[in-house]
Amino acid sequence: MDKVKLPLFADVNEQLQQSDLLVNPADVHGVICGLLCGGVKLDSKAWLEPFDQLINEGLGIPDSLDAILADVYSGSEAALKDMTLGFELLLPDMDQPLENRMEALAEWVQGFLGGFGMVHSVSTVASDDVKELIADFASISQMDIETDDDSNEAEESFYEIVEYVRMGATYCFNELGDGGGEAQAMPILH
């Protein structure tokens, strides 16, 4: 069976720009992943209503986005369920300035927190590890975006944060997601 892949950031961005929604691909992917990791029922429809509430205040998602959003959802669900850790964040390519990628990462995490909070029930007991991850994600979402530092050290730090968020989202899905399995080891940020 072929792996379901996420659409490219640029392709999602192009579709969003042609619509009336003023959101970016990182935010869209973050919301979808937050919904999945928070426990939304895994089917092709359950995520649509909370997604619409968060992204467009319940006013409906333009029909022109149905296909690309379905691709983002399918790719995200498949990647989160992938035991080979194939899950990736939908962020701008490496050739984009570090500041743009950092901003997209912060928006991804903000979207994730919104989606996660929308479906994660207070009655659902999350482990201390998940609570710590969510607190860390909240801190990451508020990180200082302004940087003149395009050094290798800044790039390495960025990728360490991306890896932490990637593994953290996978951990949340495995613990709380609909059909999630046993949680893997807690990611460590150095």
Side-chain angles (χ1 to χ4, degrees):
M1 184 173 138
D2 290 335
K3 282 191 172 191
V4 179
K5 292 246 184 219
L6 275 178
L8 297 174
F9 185 91
D11 294 342
V12 177
N13 194 41
E14 182 180 328
Q15 292 289 317
L16 289 170
Q17 287 180 354
Q18 292 174 7
S19 77
D20 293 332
L21 291 182
L22 300 175
V23 294
N24 65 58
D27 189 30
V28 164
H29 188 237
V31 168
I32 289 172
C33 291
L35 293 169
L36 288 166
C37 293
V40 75
K41 184 172 172 35
L42 294 183
D43 67 28
S44 61
K45 303 264 186 253
W47 65 278
L48 290 169
E49 184 179 334
F51 178 82
D52 178 37
Q53 289 294 322
L54 285 168
I55 294 293
N56 202 25
E57 299 177 0
L59 299 174
I61 302 297
D63 292 342
S64 62
L65 294 176
D66 285 349
I68 196 84
L69 292 178
D71 289 348
V72 172
Y73 172 84
S74 299
S76 301
E77 179 186 340
L80 284 165
K81 290 162 73 173
D82 182 1
M83 296 311 287
T84 63
L85 301 177
F87 175 70
E88 296 293 332
L89 308 183
L90 188 60
L91 298 174
D93 292 332
M94 278 180 45
D95 61 350
Q96 297 298 309
L98 179 59
E99 191 170 322
N100 293 358
R101 291 179 282 138
M102 287 174 60
E103 183 177 337
L105 175 60
E107 290 168 348
W108 191 98
V109 173
Q110 289 166 4
F112 179 92
L113 292 170
F116 186 87
M118 187 79 156
V119 296
H120 180 68
S121 168
V122 228
S123 63
T124 306
V125 178
S127 70
D128 289 341
D129 287 342
V130 168
K131 291 175 186 171
E132 183 179 333
L133 278 167
I134 297 304
D136 289 348
F137 280 20
S139 295
I140 292 168
S141 74
Q142 301 300 316
M143 72 180 162
D144 183 20
I145 306 298
E146 301 295 321
T147 182
D148 294 327
D149 186 7
D150 283 335
S151 69
N152 286 340
E153 186 176 308
E155 286 287 340
E156 282 182 31
S157 295
F158 172 75
Y159 282 105
E160 285 180 13
I161 295 169
V162 168
E163 184 65 9
Y164 181 78
V165 170
R166 184 180 83 83
M167 294 301 297
T170 303
Y171 187 89
C172 289
F173 178 78
N174 287 332
E175 182 172 314
L176 300 170
D178 182 41
E182 259 184 48
Q184 298 158 359
M186 170 74 172
I188 298 172
L189 182 63
H190 294 279

